[in-house]
Amino acid sequence: MNNQKNKEYWEIIAKFYHANVGEKGDIRHEIIINPVVFSFLGDLKGKVVLDGACGNGYLSRRMAKTAK
C-alpha cells in the first residue's frame, strides 16, 4: 500500500472505532477495562496523567473529569 492508501484505510478504521467506542467506551470498556484502569489509578486529584495510545481520547477525558 502507498502512503495515501494507508491514510485512507486508517481514516476508515478511526471513524469505525470512534463510532463504536464513543465518549464512554464500548461495552468491554464500560464493564472490564474502565473499572480495572480506575482501580489501578486511584484518586487522580492533583495528578498529571499521560494516556498513551489513547485511541479517540475518551479515557483521557474521563480521567480529566476525575482529576478536578
Side-chain angles (χ1 to χ4, degrees):
M1 288 182 137
N2 64 34
N3 284 342
Q4 183 60 35
K5 289 290 183 188
N6 287 339
K7 184 179 180 201
E8 291 169 7
Y9 184 67
W10 185 250
E11 289 293 326
I12 292 168
I13 292 171
K15 288 176 185 175
F16 174 82
Y17 181 85
H18 183 69
N20 286 284
V21 173
E23 290 300 311
K24 292 182 170 182
D26 62 10
I27 193 72
R28 291 174 293 275
H29 287 88
E30 288 187 53
I31 294 174
I32 300 167
I33 297 170
N34 293 346
V36 171
V37 168
F38 281 99
S39 73
F40 284 136
L41 293 174
D43 185 11
L44 296 177
K45 289 187 194 291
K47 292 184 180 176
V48 175
V49 179
L50 171 66
D51 181 13
C54 60
N56 68 355
Y58 92 90
L59 188 57
S60 295
R61 289 186 293 277
R62 288 194 59 176
M63 287 188 287
K65 287 178 186 175
T66 304
K68 290 182 180 181

